[in-house]
Amino acid sequence: MQPIASARVVDVVRDQLRSAILAGELAPGSRLSVPELARQLGVSRSPVREAVLLLVGEGLAVEQSRRGVEVARLELSDVLELYELRITLESLAAHHAAERMTQTDLAALRGVLDAQGAAAVGDARSFRELDMRFHEIVSQTCGNTRLARHAALLAREMRLAGPLMVNEPWHLRRSHEEHRTIERALRQRDGPAAENAMRDHLSRVCQSVRHHHNSTL
Amino acid sequence: MQPIASARVVDVVRDQLRSAILAGELAPGSRLSVPELARQLGVSRSPVREAVLLLVGEGLAVEQSRRGVEVARLELSDVLELYELRITLESLAAHHAAERMTQTDLAALRGVLDAQGAAAVGDARSFRELDMRFHEIVSQTCGNTRLARHAALLAREMRLAGPLMVNEPWHLRRSHEEHRTIERALRQRDGPAAENAMRDHLSRVCQSVRHHHNSTL
DNA sequence: AGGTAGAGTGTTACATGTAGAACCCAAGAA
DNA sequence: TTCTTGGGTTCTACATGTAACACTCTACCT
C-alpha cells in the first residue's frame, strides 16, 4: 500500500504542461497564458498559475517581467552549460551508484538498455526517452537525494534543446555502446570506472553537439 | 540607469521570508501559515502563498501533503549531501573563475577577505555572512549561469544547518587562511590550483562538521 | 481511567473578482 | 508615407470567497 498521493489539481496541471513542453507540443518561445491554459484544461486560474511558476523554477519556462511566461528557448551556449553541469554531477552520481545499486536497479537498467538497443536503429524519439530513463536510474540510485534532484532537473531542461541534438543513427549507436560500458562498470561495482565512463560519454556527446552545430551553420 | 526591477509584492515577501529563515527568526520546523504570514505582512494571501511555494523550490521549506509548509530541518546527513555537491560544483566554478575574474571582482573578493579576517577573532555571525559572500563571488564569476544558480541555492540551503556548524575561533581562522589560498590562486589565474584549493577547503570543512557532530553527541 | 464523539478553529486548495499594464490595430496627423 | 494616438482586448498581479480537510479540546460514554 503506497500512500494515496495528493491528487492535487496543481500537480496534474504541472505534469501535463511539462509533458507538453518536453514533447514539443508547446514549442520553445510559446507564451504560457494562464487564462488560456485554464480554459483549455477546464480548471480555474489559480492552480494553473502555480503550475507555471513551478515550471519556471524547473527552468523549463522563463518569465519576462510583467509580460508573462514563455517556454524557455535554449541557445547552444545554454546546452553547453547544461552539459558541463551534467558531466560533473552525473559522473559523481555514477561513482556512488556503482556501490549502491541493487540487483533490481541493475535489472531495470539492463531492460532500458535492451529496449534502447532496438530503438537505436532509427527511432530517435523513443531512443531519447530511453536515454533519459537510463540517466535517471543512475542518478536516482546514487544515494544523494539532492544530487539526484539537481541531475534530474538538468536532464529535463536539456530536453528543450531538441533541434540542437544529434540524431544520426551512428551517433545513437555510439551513445548506446557507451551506455553499455557504463552499465558494465556499474554491474562490476567499479565506482571509478563508472565515473570515468559516464564522464567520457557525456563529454563526447557534448563535443558532438558542438561540432554538429558548427557544421550545420 | 538600471531597469526598475519588478517591485512585485511576491518578490518582497519572498526576500523577507528568506531573510527571516536564514537569520533564524523562523526556526527550522516552524510552520509557515499563509493566512498568518499574510496578516503579519499586511498583504493578501496570494503573493504569500506564491512566495512560500518559491521557498519550497529553493529547498528552504518543505511541504507535507495537506498539512502545509514548514521551514526545512537539516540532519547531519543533509549537510553532508550538501557539502558533497558544493565540493564538486564550487571547485569547478573556481577553476573557471580563475580564468574570468575581472580586477573589480578580485578587488571585491579581497575586500570581503579583509573584513573576514577582522571578524574571525570572534564574531561568528558576520564571519558566516562574509563566508557566504566569498563563495558567492567565486560562483557568480565562473561564467556558467546555471552553475552559479545551483551553487547559490546549495550554499543558502546549507545556512539552515546553524547548530551543526563549527564556530570555534581556530576553525574560523583556518577557514579564512584557506580562503586566502583560494584567492591567491584566483589572482594568479591558476585554474587548477584554485579548483584544488576550493576542493580542499570545502572537504576539510565537511570533515570538521562530521567530527564536530560525533564529538558533541 | 480510558476511549471516543463532536463542536470549534484554522488551514489548504481551488475558484473567482478586478485594477492596471501591455499589446494590437486601425484611424488620423505631419 | 511615417508617426502618433486612442480604443479595445488580453493579460498579470493581487485580493477575496469558500468547500473540504485536519487539528484541538472538551464532554460524554463504557
Side-chain angles (χ1 to χ4, degrees):
Chain A
M1 279 296 199
Q2 66 233 359
I4 302 174
S6 45
R8 295 190 307 174
V9 176
V10 58
D11 293 321
V12 177
V13 172
R14 171 174 47 73
D15 292 346
Q16 293 231 352
L17 289 180
R18 190 159 51 206
S19 300
I21 290 174
L22 295 181
E25 297 162 28
L26 288 169
S30 313
R31 295 204 46 206
L32 295 176
S33 158
V34 170
E36 176 64 20
L37 292 171
R39 272 190 295 274
Q40 290 182 14
L41 297 172
V43 297
S44 82
R45 302 181 322 247
S46 306
V48 175
R49 181 175 167 87
E50 287 183 12
V52 168
L53 262 186
L54 292 176
L55 292 178
V56 170
E58 293 183 20
L60 297 183
V62 292
E63 61 180 334
Q64 297 116 316
S65 73
R66 298 278 175 188
R67 272 204 290 179
V69 174
E70 66 176 44
V71 178
R73 257 187 276 253
L74 293 197
E75 311 285 329
L76 176 66
S77 62
D78 296 300
V79 178
L80 297 181
E81 277 194 12
L82 286 168
Y83 268 116
E84 178 166 40
L85 284 177
R86 285 189 66 187
I87 288 169
T88 57
L89 291 186
E90 292 199 28
S91 56
L92 176 62
H95 190 128
H96 289 152
E99 297 155 357
R100 302 178 41 96
M101 284 189 113
T102 65
Q103 290 302 322
T104 312
D105 296 326
L106 286 167
L109 205 60
R110 176 161 284 187
V112 168
L113 286 186
D114 289 345
Q116 197 185 43
V121 293
D123 187 354
R125 182 146 223 82
S126 47
F127 184 92
R128 293 247 162 271
E129 183 63 35
L130 292 162
D131 179 85
M132 180 91 186
R133 190 110 75 220
F134 174 83
H135 287 278
E136 187 179 321
I137 291 176
V138 175
S139 298
Q140 296 297 317
T141 53
C142 77
N144 184 325
T145 59
R146 284 171 178 83
L147 172 49
R149 186 153 41 97
H150 286 263
L153 285 175
L154 295 170
R156 274 213 292 253
E157 191 176 350
M158 189 173 279
R159 290 183 63 189
L160 284 171
L164 290 171
M165 304 310 278
V166 188
N167 283 324
E168 273 96 50
W170 66 267
H171 183 269
L172 301 188
R173 271 195 295 275
R174 172 126 192 218
S175 275
H176 180 248
E177 283 165 26
E178 290 167 349
H179 285 176
R180 291 283 187 194
T181 304
I182 296 167
E183 190 257 357
R184 217 172 301 130
L186 291 171
R187 185 175 296 276
Q188 293 165 0
R189 309 226 170 269
D190 186 339
E195 178 173 343
N196 286 328
M198 181 65 86
R199 188 189 317 276
D200 292 346
H201 167 54
L202 288 172
S203 301
R204 189 198 56 78
V205 175
C206 181
Q207 281 302 316
S208 295
V209 170
R210 190 197 300 270
H211 291 144
H212 181 258
H213 182 265
N214 286 339
S215 66
T216 59
L217 242 182
Chain B
M1 279 294 198
Q2 65 231 359
I4 302 173
S6 45
R8 296 190 308 175
V9 176
V10 58
D11 293 321
V12 176
V13 172
R14 171 173 47 73
D15 293 346
Q16 293 231 353
L17 288 180
R18 191 160 51 207
S19 301
I21 289 174
L22 295 180
E25 297 162 28
L26 288 168
S30 312
R31 295 206 45 207
L32 294 177
S33 158
V34 170
E36 175 65 19
L37 292 171
R39 273 191 294 274
Q40 291 182 15
L41 297 171
V43 297
S44 82
R45 302 181 323 247
S46 306
V48 175
R49 182 175 167 88
E50 288 184 11
V52 168
L53 262 186
L54 292 176
L55 292 178
V56 170
E58 293 182 19
L60 297 182
V62 292
E63 61 179 335
Q64 298 116 314
S65 72
R66 300 277 176 188
R67 274 203 290 179
V69 174
E70 66 175 45
V71 179
R73 257 188 274 253
L74 293 196
E75 311 285 330
L76 176 66
S77 62
D78 296 300
V79 179
L80 298 181
E81 277 194 12
L82 286 167
Y83 267 116
E84 179 166 41
L85 283 178
R86 286 188 65 186
I87 287 169
T88 56
L89 291 185
E90 292 199 30
S91 56
L92 176 61
H95 190 128
H96 289 153
E99 297 155 358
R100 302 179 40 98
M101 285 189 113
T102 65
Q103 290 303 320
T104 313
D105 295 327
L106 286 166
L109 206 60
R110 177 162 281 187
V112 168
L113 285 186
D114 289 345
Q116 197 184 42
V121 293
D123 187 353
R125 183 147 223 81
S126 46
F127 184 91
R128 293 247 163 271
E129 183 63 35
L130 293 162
D131 178 85
M132 181 91 184
R133 191 111 74 219
F134 174 83
H135 287 278
E136 188 180 320
I137 291 176
V138 175
S139 299
Q140 296 298 316
T141 53
C142 77
N144 184 326
T145 59
R146 284 171 178 82
L147 173 49
R149 186 153 43 93
H150 286 263
L153 284 174
L154 295 169
R156 274 214 292 255
E157 191 177 350
M158 189 174 278
R159 290 182 64 191
L160 284 171
L164 290 171
M165 304 308 279
V166 188
N167 283 324
E168 273 99 47
W170 66 267
H171 182 269
L172 301 188
R173 271 196 295 275
R174 171 126 192 218
S175 277
H176 180 250
E177 283 165 27
E178 290 168 348
H179 285 176
R180 291 282 188 194
T181 304
I182 296 167
E183 189 257 358
R184 218 172 300 131
L186 292 171
R187 184 175 297 277
Q188 293 165 359
R189 309 224 169 271
D190 186 340
E195 177 173 343
N196 285 329
M198 181 65 85
R199 189 188 317 276
D200 292 346
H201 167 52
L202 287 172
S203 301
R204 188 198 56 79
V205 175
C206 180
Q207 280 303 316
S208 295
V209 170
R210 190 197 299 268
H211 290 143
H212 181 259
H213 181 265
N214 285 340
S215 66
T216 60
L217 242 184

